[in-house]
């Protein structure tokens, strides 16, 4: 319906034709952009009203539309970009829609209000969707569904919004039916709705679900879902949901009473295809770091059994308005509450940065951590207050941060901010954590001098120095050598940290899934092609895998992790130089096995193999 849009920077006069939804690069860096389009009356013979729906209005927006507003309002103001804006109206024969989007005016611009993404990816605008639809009056405008598991089965807490032109006194009919291959009976229920006149009315209703089929994460069960339809007169509105129970127990999530170890990747993008990329990396969770995911990504996670750790759009040092944060937390939980994949919410991401000026400096300090008595002052009271607004049905992490602060999950970057990747052992001993919510190292996808958010000084310390040493000793270097060295260093760093964290049984989330520019922390480049680290992390994230701690000769410890819910009977074998051996083992569900092996002094590599009925995995180490 919206075929042509014109856009102008706020305060400017240069009008351009643009595509909506989208982020027009011509307005990169603008503080605000006004988008204007025209549309004809969309109503058919049986329709009375129209609804303009805008999704992804980043970050603060004012919306004007011609026609007679049924809610009695004029200019609509909107500042929770992840929450759809729906405007009901009686349209004219010809109508104009004007949307002005502004850059963030507070701390809640999230990752898009930092240099972690290019300016062209943070243009104020309508990012996700813009549609117009028509309905008979009265009609069901939207439903918010929050499933809850109970001792008697489950209930659906439903908030239904109805739009009417005249007073009504009626009943809404709710029908619940299984989706996909789920074989179970449907059910019906009814709820009362009364309105006193034109506008929107929201009613609450609770639907009992007996003997529910629960939704499970991948590797633990089926992704059972239901379709709930509300019918009022000639109007119908449907949502798809799943029933599950989530809790947080130290280093893991607990879903439907079953412990689920965390193997995750953070994402800075909003492409549903990235969910498949995360699965290819053997992740079972995606963390939306300081930004909200669009509906399509949640739907992909629901279908594929991926858990979602959803941050509020809040990152970096600085104070923020706790009241505003509470409002956003409630809106976020309401908007995404129907999705069974939503498991956890984090409030404040990396609120301190002791390494912004290079204080880590580990490479030039004998590759030792500069402990420096890290104890950063951070008042977490506001983050805790915001966390209190998150429903009890979700796991919540008020603070994700660096060593030395009172965090709920850690963002530790050994081998990038400080020390070497192997420093993770000493770091975790000194600053323990149950969940390593962010770690990694950056790498180049192309030999570039600048890229959004890429820390070239850190890259130079760890990678460029190695390339320079290679050329000094008689080699030659070109751009491909630099890129290869960069990606190899990233891969080894992620491997070391991920393996050691998993051996300790920590929840482990790597940064990042995909770059936003020609270089970054991603294991995929900006176009979605894998870097070297993708295969390396996928091996480290195998649900059942065998690891060698502190690779070297002599007596070394072998660890087998089993992230599955059932015991694993397997054969562990190893080959090092002329030595070989094997053992028959059993590893408990969500457990680990560990023992020592002897590696001869002449060995230059070790190959470990874990063979079980489900297949064989191999892990090799150069000594």
């Amino acid at each position: 319906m919206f075929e042509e849009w014109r856009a102008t920077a706020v305060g400017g006069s240069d009008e351009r034709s643009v595509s909506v939804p989208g982020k027009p690069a011509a307005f990169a860096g603008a503080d605000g952009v006004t988008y204007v389009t025209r549309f004809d009356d969309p109503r058919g013979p049986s329709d009375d009203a129209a609804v303009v729906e805008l999704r992804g209005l980043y970050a603060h927006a004012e919306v004007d539309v011609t026609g007679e507003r049924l809610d009695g309002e004029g200019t609509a103001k909107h500042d929770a970009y992840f929450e759809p804006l729906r405007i009901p109206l009686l349209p004219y024969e010809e109508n104009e829609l004007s949307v002005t989007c502004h850059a963030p005016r507070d701390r809640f611009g999230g990752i898009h209000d930092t240099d972690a993404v290019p300016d062209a990816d943070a243009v104020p605008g309508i990012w996700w969707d813009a549609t117009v639809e028509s309905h008979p009056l009265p009609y069901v405008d939207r439903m918010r569904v929050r499933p809850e598991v109970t001792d008697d089965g489950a209930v659906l807490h439903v908030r239904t919004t109805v739009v009417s032109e005249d007073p009504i006194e009626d009943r809404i009919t709710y029908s619940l039916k299984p989706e996909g291959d789920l074989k179970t009976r449907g059910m019906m229920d009814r709820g009362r709705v009364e309105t006193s006149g034109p506008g929107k009315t929201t009613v609450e209703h609770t639907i009992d679900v007996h003997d529910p089929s629960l939704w499970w994460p991948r590797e633990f069960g089926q992704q059972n879902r239901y379709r709930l339809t509300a019918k009022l007169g000639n109007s119908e509105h449907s949502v798809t949901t799943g029933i599950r129970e989530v809790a947080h127990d130290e280093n893991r999530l607990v879903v439907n009473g079953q412990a689920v170890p965390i193997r995750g990747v953070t994402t800075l993008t909003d492409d549903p295809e990235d969910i498949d990329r995360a699965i290819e990396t053997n992740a079972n969770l995606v963390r939306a770091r300081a930004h909200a995911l669009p509906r399509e990504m949640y739907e992909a996670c629901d279908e594929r059994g991926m858990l979602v750790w959803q941050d509020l759009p809040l990152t970096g040092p600085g104070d923020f308005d706790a009241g505003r944060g509470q409002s956003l937390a409630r809106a976020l939980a309401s908007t995404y509450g129907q999705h069974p994949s939503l498991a956890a919410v984090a409030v404040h991401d990396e609120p301190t940065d002791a390494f912004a000026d290079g204080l880590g400096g580990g490479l030039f300090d004998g590759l030792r951590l500069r402990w420096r008595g890290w104890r950063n002052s951070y008042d977490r009271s506001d983050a805790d207050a915001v966390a209190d607004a998150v429903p009890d049905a979700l796991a919540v992490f008020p603070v994700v941060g660096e060593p030395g602060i009172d965090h709920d999950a850690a963002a530790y970057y050994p081998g990038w901010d400080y020390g070497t990747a192997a420093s993770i052992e000493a770091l975790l001993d000194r600053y323990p954590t149950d969940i390593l919510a962010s770690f990694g190292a950056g790498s180049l996808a192309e030999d570039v001098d600048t890229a959004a958010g890429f820390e070239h000084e850190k890259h130079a310390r760890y990678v460029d120095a190695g390339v320079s040493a290679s050329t000094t000793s008689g080699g030659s270097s070109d751009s491909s050598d630099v890129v290869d060295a960069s990606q190899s260093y990233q891969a080894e760093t992620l491997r070391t940290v991920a393996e050691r964290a998993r051996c300790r049984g920590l929840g482990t989330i790597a940064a990042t899934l995909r770059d936003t520019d020609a270089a970054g922390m991603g294991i995929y480049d900006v176009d979605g092609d894998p870097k070297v680290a993708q295969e390396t992390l996928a091996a480290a994230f195998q649900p059942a895998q065998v690891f060698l701690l502190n690779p070297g000769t002599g007596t070394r410890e072998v660890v087998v992790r089993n992230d599955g819910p059932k015991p694993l009977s397997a054969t562990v074998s190893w080959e090092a130089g002329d030595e070989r051996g094997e053992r028959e083992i059993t590893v408990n569900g969500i457990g680990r096995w560990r023992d020592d092996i002897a590696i001869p002094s002449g060995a230059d590599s070790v190959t470990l193999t874990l063979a079980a009925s489900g297949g064989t995995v191999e892990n090799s180490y150069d000594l």
Side-chain angles (χ1 to χ4, degrees):
M1 177 60 67
F2 300 133
E3 297 181 353
E4 182 178 331
W5 291 78
R6 305 293 295 176
T8 309
V10 172
S13 58
D14 183 15
E15 186 180 69
R16 294 173 179 263
S17 176
V18 297
S19 296
V20 173
K23 303 172 183 178
F27 296 102
D31 289 333
V33 182
T34 297
Y35 302 83
V36 178
T37 190
R38 291 175 174 80
F39 63 98
D40 295 334
D41 186 344
R43 293 174 295 179
S46 61
D47 296 324
D48 300 307
V51 181
V52 171
E53 182 181 76
L54 305 172
R55 293 195 295 119
L57 284 176
Y58 186 84
H60 304 269
E62 296 102 31
V63 182
D64 287 293
V65 59
T66 53
E68 299 177 26
R69 292 283 299 272
L70 284 170
D71 53 16
E73 298 182 5
T75 299
K77 297 184 182 297
H78 193 74
D79 63 359
Y81 74 91
F82 48 80
E83 187 176 31
L85 174 65
R86 291 177 61 84
I87 301 175
L89 71 151
L90 301 176
Y92 301 146
E93 185 175 346
E94 295 181 351
N95 305 272
E96 181 175 272
L97 173 63
S98 174
V99 183
T100 299
C101 298
H102 302 275
R105 295 169 170 171
D106 55 23
R107 289 294 319 286
F108 293 96
I111 204 73
H112 296 97
D113 198 22
T114 72
D115 64 359
V117 298
D119 287 346
D121 285 343
V123 174
I126 309 165
W127 286 0
W128 296 341
D129 204 5
T131 59
V132 61
E133 59 200 48
S134 57
H135 298 276
L137 284 169
Y139 68 90
V140 177
D141 185 63
R142 71 169 68 186
M143 278 195 296
R144 295 287 191 235
V145 181
R146 181 173 62 84
E148 180 185 4
V149 176
T150 66
D151 294 338
D152 298 324
V155 296
L156 302 181
H157 301 284
V158 185
R159 288 174 55 86
T160 308
T161 299
V162 172
V163 174
S164 63
E165 187 178 19
D166 302 309
I168 61 171
E169 185 175 333
D170 206 340
R171 289 186 177 274
I172 302 173
T173 300
Y174 296 96
S175 61
L176 187 68
K177 296 182 180 180
E179 280 274 274
D181 297 330
L182 176 58
K183 305 298 183 184
T184 187
R185 63 184 179 89
M187 57 171 294
M188 298 189 71
D189 203 342
R190 303 188 78 190
R192 189 175 183 83
V193 57
E194 294 183 21
T195 71
S196 57
K200 295 181 179 179
T201 300
T202 298
V203 295
E204 298 185 4
H205 188 67
T206 300
I207 300 173
D208 292 315
V209 184
H210 301 289
D211 193 24
S213 296
L214 301 180
W215 181 95
W216 289 91
R218 60 190 303 264
E219 303 163 7
F220 286 84
Q222 297 298 312
Q223 288 73 58
N224 298 314
R225 285 164 293 151
Y226 294 85
R227 189 164 185 82
L228 178 65
T229 300
K231 185 173 182 179
L232 176 64
N234 295 321
S235 169
E236 287 189 1
H237 185 85
S238 298
V239 299
T240 299
T241 190
I243 300 170
R244 56 87 185 96
E245 185 176 44
V246 178
H248 166 222
D249 179 21
E250 295 182 346
N251 60 349
R252 55 201 180 188
L253 296 171
V254 180
V255 182
N256 304 328
Q258 170 66 61
V260 179
I262 296 172
R263 304 187 312 275
V265 288
T266 62
T267 177
L268 305 180
T269 57
D270 58 7
D271 181 357
E273 292 185 7
D274 282 341
I275 303 305
D276 289 329
R277 295 184 177 100
I279 292 173
E280 290 170 357
T281 310
N282 288 317
N284 63 0
L285 175 146
V286 291
R287 177 188 169 203
R289 183 187 167 208
H291 73 114
L293 301 180
R295 180 178 63 199
E296 291 79 7
M297 288 192 78
Y298 270 95
E299 291 172 347
C301 289
D302 292 346
E303 293 170 4
R304 293 160 176 77
M306 288 289 285
L307 296 169
V308 177
W309 168 314
Q310 176 64 69
D311 284 14
L312 262 67
L314 175 64
T315 186
D319 297 331
F320 59 91
D321 183 338
R324 164 86 165 131
Q326 290 173 326
S327 175
L328 287 174
R330 286 189 288 267
L332 187 146
S334 174
T335 299
Y336 297 123
Q338 74 195 49
H339 295 285
S341 54
L342 176 60
V345 173
V347 176
H348 199 174
D349 172 65
E350 302 193 27
T352 59
D353 188 0
F355 313 103
D357 57 0
L359 290 180
L363 194 65
F364 303 113
D365 195 19
L367 294 178
R368 297 190 303 269
L369 283 168
R370 287 188 183 179
W371 298 113
R372 310 178 70 87
W374 284 337
R375 287 296 170 193
N376 296 298
S377 60
Y378 173 66
D379 182 356
R380 55 174 291 156
S381 59
D382 284 343
D384 288 332
V386 174
D388 288 342
V390 177
D392 294 338
L394 299 171
V396 62
F397 301 90
V399 179
V400 178
E402 65 185 17
I405 68 171
D406 182 17
H407 54 55
D408 304 279
Y412 292 173
Y413 298 92
W416 188 247
D417 276 342
Y418 38 73
T420 66
S423 302
I424 187 63
E425 297 281 8
L427 180 60
L428 291 171
D429 288 341
R430 185 145 182 169
Y431 299 102
T433 186
D434 292 324
I435 298 178
L436 185 55
S438 196
F439 70 94
S443 70
L444 304 171
E446 304 173 30
D447 188 7
V448 294
D449 295 327
T450 60
F454 190 68
E455 298 170 297
H456 284 274
E457 291 184 4
K458 293 178 181 179
H459 185 267
R461 284 207 306 266
Y462 287 101
V463 177
D464 293 356
V467 175
S468 298
S470 165
T471 58
T472 300
S473 61
S476 60
S477 175
D478 57 29
S479 62
S480 62
D481 292 332
V482 173
V483 172
D484 289 347
S486 177
Q487 293 196 17
S488 294
Y489 178 77
Q490 179 194 36
E492 284 304 310
T493 300
L494 263 68
R495 177 186 187 179
T496 298
V497 177
E499 288 193 352
R500 309 255 178 131
R502 285 199 69 198
C503 286
R504 287 176 175 247
L506 304 184
T508 308
I509 306 175
T512 299
L513 183 64
R514 182 151 69 96
D515 288 343
T516 62
D517 208 340
M521 305 287 279
I523 59 173
Y524 290 85
D525 67 20
V526 68
D527 296 321
D529 296 322
K531 298 182 185 177
V532 175
Q534 189 280 332
E535 184 176 357
T536 303
L537 188 64
F541 272 5
Q542 283 278 0
Q545 182 60 286
V546 56
F547 305 109
L548 180 66
L549 276 182
N550 301 314
T553 59
T555 301
R556 300 290 166 172
E557 186 175 25
V558 173
V559 177
V560 174
R561 285 291 315 176
N562 173 26
D563 280 1
K566 298 179 181 179
L568 176 71
S569 296
T571 301
V572 174
S573 58
W574 64 91
E575 180 178 342
D578 296 330
E579 298 292 328
R580 292 171 175 77
E582 69 177 37
R583 291 175 192 170
E584 301 297 322
I585 68 168
T586 298
V587 191
N588 292 332
I590 320 299
R592 65 180 172 180
W593 171 91
R594 55 202 310 167
D595 204 351
D596 292 335
I597 63 172
I599 300 176
S601 58
D604 56 11
S605 66
V606 178
T607 298
L608 305 175
T609 303
L610 180 69
S613 58
T616 299
V617 293
E618 190 176 275
N619 216 352
S620 297
Y621 298 84
D622 291 328
L623 304 183

